[in-house]
Amino acid sequence: MAGWNRLLDWLLPPRCGGCGAVGAWLCAGCRDRVRRLEEPLCRRCGRELEHAGISCGCRARLRCLSRLRSVAAYEGPLERAIHRFKYAGWQALAPALAGLLTEVVSVEVGVHTDAQLVPVPLHPRRLRQRGYNQAVLLVGDLRHRLRLQKPAGRLIRVRDTPPQVGLDRLRRRSNVDDAFEWRGPPLAGGAILLVDDVATTGATLESCAAALKAGGAGQVVAVTLARVDV
Ligand SMILES: [Zn+2]
Ligand SMILES: [Zn+2]
């Protein structure tokens, strides 16, 4: 399936993930309509706040994750492009979307110069169904752009959890508790940039961060393309 998609990508001209227009994977019009998250943002979870300085109450939920930053709101052309990238086999959107993601990733790599990029993993069963993991595609492109090495170990999903869509905050948390494990040499205090396409409550990212901390990671910062405000 993946090979077939790559062949089609090569044969067919690029089409915009946002509006379907032929010519680019994300056309200039759709790129302009991507709504970047604006300050004031919560210092920890990065959500947009009404007034600077107020706490959004995320500290009780996000303990292992030092910070979460997303590029833009999950709406409009970006929402359509991510949906096609994730569920409709438009793997060729990876470089265009990773390009947007560098806006926050470069800032974090500037702060944590030793940081390693780690994608949020899919369970092997889900990976077989979908044929690819969208977070792995984004990380592959980002490592190439930023000339970052692949870590010696990897984060894996040990429990196949039902999708988080439609679950409330508490259920999202218990759904992904202990779902991840770090396999490989201990991380020896290094910083990790955890990468995914969309963040909602941050429950999946927090569970990944717990596994990375158990594997010896220092600071864990999560970066996502889009953010659903809940
Ligand atoms: Zn477009
Ligand atoms: Zn917050």
Side-chain angles (χ1 to χ4, degrees):
M1 187 65 189
W4 177 242
N5 279 336
R6 268 198 293 277
L7 179 67
L8 281 179
D9 293 342
W10 182 72
L11 289 171
L12 298 171
R15 281 174 62 207
C16 175
C19 67
V22 173
W25 289 113
L26 204 55
C27 77
C30 286
R31 203 175 279 274
D32 283 349
R33 287 198 301 280
V34 172
R35 190 179 74 74
R36 307 297 197 279
L37 298 189
E38 282 173 34
E39 295 282 356
L41 300 174
C42 171
R43 289 169 67 100
R44 179 165 285 251
C45 77
R47 88 185 260 184
E48 289 179 307
L49 301 174
E50 299 241 334
H51 309 286
I54 64 165
S55 160
C56 98
C58 59
R59 190 171 268 278
R61 295 183 284 118
L62 306 183
R63 293 163 188 270
C64 297
L65 210 54
S66 302
R67 192 163 53 244
L68 163 56
R69 285 293 177 270
S70 310
V71 178
Y74 188 59
E75 60 184 42
L78 184 60
E79 180 179 354
R80 287 192 292 276
I82 289 175
H83 200 271
R84 283 165 164 158
F85 177 51
K86 207 166 161 174
Y87 302 112
W90 288 41
Q91 298 166 63
L93 286 173
L97 294 177
L100 280 177
L101 200 42
T102 53
E103 292 176 20
V104 290
V105 171
S106 320
V107 174
E108 299 301 334
V109 169
V111 178
H112 305 281
T113 47
D114 64 336
Q116 307 203 68
L117 260 53
V118 170
V120 170
L122 288 178
H123 189 269
R125 200 167 68 90
R126 192 75 51 87
L127 185 62
R128 276 196 300 277
Q129 282 168 358
R130 194 175 293 173
Y132 59 97
N133 174 353
Q134 71 282 358
V136 168
L137 298 183
L138 292 173
V139 164
D141 193 271
L142 288 167
R143 282 197 191 119
H144 181 71
R145 271 170 208 265
L146 303 167
R147 298 199 179 87
L148 297 172
Q149 297 294 314
K150 225 175 162 168
R154 66 196 182 104
L155 187 65
I156 60 162
R157 195 183 282 247
V158 288
R159 273 202 306 120
D160 190 11
T161 57
Q164 298 279 69
V165 177
L167 299 181
D168 64 24
R169 190 173 275 176
L170 269 177
R171 291 214 181 89
R172 278 172 182 258
R173 185 60 218 265
S174 58
N175 188 32
V176 291
D177 249 0
D178 301 321
F180 302 93
E181 255 177 49
W182 176 255
R183 295 273 168 88
L187 287 160
I192 298 292
L193 289 187
L194 187 59
V195 178
D196 208 358
D197 51 349
V198 182
T200 305
T201 62
T204 300
L205 297 164
E206 171 66 14
S207 188
C208 287
L212 289 164
K213 289 269 184 187
Q219 284 208 43
V220 180
V221 175
V223 288
T224 74
L225 259 176
R227 185 63 168 266
V228 179
D229 205 356
V230 285

